[in-house]
């Protein structure tokens, strides 16, 4: 099955930019030049190496890389560097990978947000589907048009014939 993961920036200096991934990869996000996705230096609430996304379509996980201002998954803090007395910083949490699902929003620092979009192909007509809602009898994703065709050609006649008996 064809599957594409899209990371769409919805807030911050990269707003409306999209990054598409078709195969297994690791993506680092931050202000450092060697990150996969580089956030402009002007967005100082994003750390130099802020977070890492592990992408294996359709699966995506995220891990905070001890960022200063935190990484948030749908508004919930999932990781950040902990400060002790304001001069020394230590990590008191074990880094954890968090699973993401389509539609999830990833907040980096104060002003940067990324939405996870999953695109798959319809099993019947091969058109692209964002966030599939319908599936055929083999549990494969199908688009709205193919679902309607399936419903009227297969399901509805069977239900009507059941009512007649």
């Amino acid at each position: 099955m064809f599957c594409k993961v899209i990371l769409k920036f919805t807030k911050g200096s990269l707003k409306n930019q999209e990054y598409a991934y078709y195969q297994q990869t690791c993506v680092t996000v931050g202000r450092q030049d060697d990150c996969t996705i580089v956030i402009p230096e002007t967005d100082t609430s994003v750390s130099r190496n802020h977070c890492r996304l592990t992408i294996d379509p359709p699966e995506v996980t995220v891990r905070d890389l001890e960022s200063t201002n935190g990484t948030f998954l749908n508004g919930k803090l999932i990781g950040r560097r902990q400060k002790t007395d304001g001069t020394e910083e230590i990590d008191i949490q074990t880094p954890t990978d968090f699973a993401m699902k389509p539609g999830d929003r990833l907040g980096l620092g104060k002003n940067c947000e990324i939405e996870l979009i999953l695109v798959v192909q319809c099993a019947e007509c091969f058109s692209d589907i964002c966030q599939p809602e319908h599936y055929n009898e083999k549990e494969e994703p199908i688009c709205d048009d193919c679902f309607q065709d399936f419903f009227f050609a297969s399901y509805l006649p069977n239900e009507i014939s059941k009512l007649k008996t």
Side-chain angles (χ1 to χ4, degrees):
M1 168 178 66
F2 167 82
C3 188
K4 172 172 59 173
V5 169
I6 298 173
L7 303 176
K8 180 179 181 177
F9 281 79
T10 56
K11 291 182 183 175
S13 53
L14 296 181
K15 184 176 180 177
N16 295 323
Q17 289 195 35
E18 295 182 358
Y19 296 83
Y21 300 93
Y22 303 87
Q23 59 192 12
Q24 184 176 5
T25 190
C26 249
V27 175
T28 54
V29 183
R31 291 183 293 117
Q32 189 121 332
D33 287 338
D34 63 350
C35 288
T36 313
I37 300 176
V38 178
I39 306 296
E41 283 290 329
T42 55
D43 195 346
T44 57
S45 71
V46 175
S47 294
R48 287 186 295 275
N49 287 293
H50 199 98
C51 69
R52 179 181 65 229
L53 294 113
T54 303
I55 300 172
D56 189 7
E59 308 296 321
V60 178
T61 60
V62 61
R63 175 183 287 211
D64 180 79
L65 297 176
E66 298 183 17
S67 64
T68 303
N69 292 310
T71 300
F72 301 82
L73 183 56
N74 297 320
K76 180 183 175 193
L77 180 67
I78 61 168
R80 75 167 166 219
R81 181 178 302 160
Q82 301 295 321
K83 293 186 178 184
T84 54
D85 63 3
T87 58
E88 181 184 341
E89 297 182 8
I90 60 169
D91 180 17
I92 62 170
Q93 296 178 341
T94 303
T96 305
D97 290 331
F98 290 86
M100 294 183 70
K101 59 186 183 306
D104 278 354
R105 295 192 178 255
L106 188 61
L108 309 180
K110 298 173 185 168
N111 302 312
C112 185
E113 185 178 78
I114 304 169
E115 179 184 6
L116 175 65
I117 300 170
L118 180 66
V119 179
V120 297
Q121 276 188 337
C122 174
E124 304 296 326
C125 70
F126 305 107
S127 63
D128 286 350
I129 312 168
C130 287
Q131 276 63 307
E133 297 177 15
H134 310 294
Y135 297 86
N136 63 15
E137 64 277 357
K138 297 177 188 173
E139 296 299 316
E140 299 167 324
I142 56 175
C143 66
D144 289 341
D145 291 340
C146 290
F147 175 73
Q148 288 178 5
D149 292 346
F150 169 76
F151 181 78
F152 288 114
S154 303
Y155 180 76
L156 194 57
N158 289 338
E159 292 303 308
I160 292 173
S161 67
K162 288 179 187 176
L163 292 174
K164 291 181 179 178
T165 56

